[in-house]
Amino acid sequence: MLSFLNNQNKEPIKIDITILKPIEKVWNYFSDPEHIVKWNFAHESWECPKAENDLRVGGKLKTRMQAKDGSFGFDFEGIYDEIIPYKLIKYHLEDGRKVEIQFEKMDENTTKVIETFDPEMQNSREMQREGWYAILNNFHKYTENH
């Protein structure tokens, strides 16, 4: 008999958003820890008090996400596998899941960001999609308004 986990869809999840800013600004706001702490959370009741980013192959992305009231939090860490400035970031998480972020220059002031990530098996695909999209949408709002 197959378990629930074996039946869960392991196909990567893909989300995207269009940001009305030049690709250089989008790339910098996505990768600079000074900016990451301002947008890297899924809900306004959460925060990202700490971010470190060594944006090079073999380098690490480390962030802390937590509820503002301190009731829950977790550390997020990825190791970079491939970097093409202003185009592509690939990294893997400690559990081996892969994440890919593509940056597409639509025109001089418009950039499309496409994130593809391997799902984890604890939460539903929809919950994961919604959570990652909420963070990407925070990034969108922060980048367009600063």
Side-chain angles (χ1 to χ4, degrees):
M1 182 173 170
L2 292 175
S3 72
F4 169 76
L5 292 179
N6 289 336
N7 287 331
Q8 191 167 354
N9 186 344
K10 295 178 184 170
E11 288 296 310
I13 297 171
K14 188 175 190 176
I15 57 175
D16 66 77
I17 203 157
T18 300
I19 300 172
L20 302 177
K21 290 294 178 183
I23 198 164
E24 296 81 7
K25 180 175 185 175
V26 172
W27 177 271
N28 290 335
Y29 276 37
F30 197 89
S31 58
D32 184 339
E34 176 184 333
H35 296 292
I36 293 170
V37 296
K38 307 270 177 67
W39 59 261
N40 191 37
F41 43 89
H43 189 268
E44 63 190 24
S45 64
W46 279 62
E47 63 185 352
C48 177
K50 182 178 165 192
E52 298 174 27
N53 197 16
D54 183 8
L55 189 62
R56 62 179 175 82
V57 173
K60 290 184 179 181
L61 166 67
K62 295 180 183 182
T63 62
R64 172 78 182 164
M65 289 186 226
Q66 64 188 34
K68 287 181 180 176
D69 67 6
S71 62
F72 184 76
F74 61 92
D75 295 316
F76 183 90
E77 184 173 311
I79 300 172
Y80 291 111
D81 299 310
E82 185 177 356
I83 308 288
I84 302 173
Y86 307 108
K87 294 212 180 290
L88 179 71
I89 296 172
K90 286 186 180 182
Y91 63 88
H92 65 275
L93 304 174
E94 293 175 305
D95 62 8
R97 290 183 297 131
K98 296 187 181 315
V99 179
E100 177 178 306
I101 305 104
Q102 298 173 325
F103 299 81
E104 292 182 6
K105 182 177 182 175
M106 308 302 283
D107 64 37
E108 291 304 313
N109 291 302
T110 309
T111 305
K112 186 173 188 177
V113 178
I114 304 159
E115 286 189 348
T116 307
F117 61 95
D118 291 341
E120 40 92 350
M121 297 294 128
Q122 293 177 334
N123 296 295
S124 72
R125 289 177 63 83
E126 191 57 34
M127 181 182 288
Q128 292 177 70
R129 180 187 307 278
E130 288 174 5
W132 282 65
Y133 185 80
I135 294 169
L136 188 58
N137 194 43
N138 268 355
F139 171 68
H140 163 249
K141 290 187 282 189
Y142 174 76
T143 303
E144 283 194 355
N145 291 310
H146 290 88

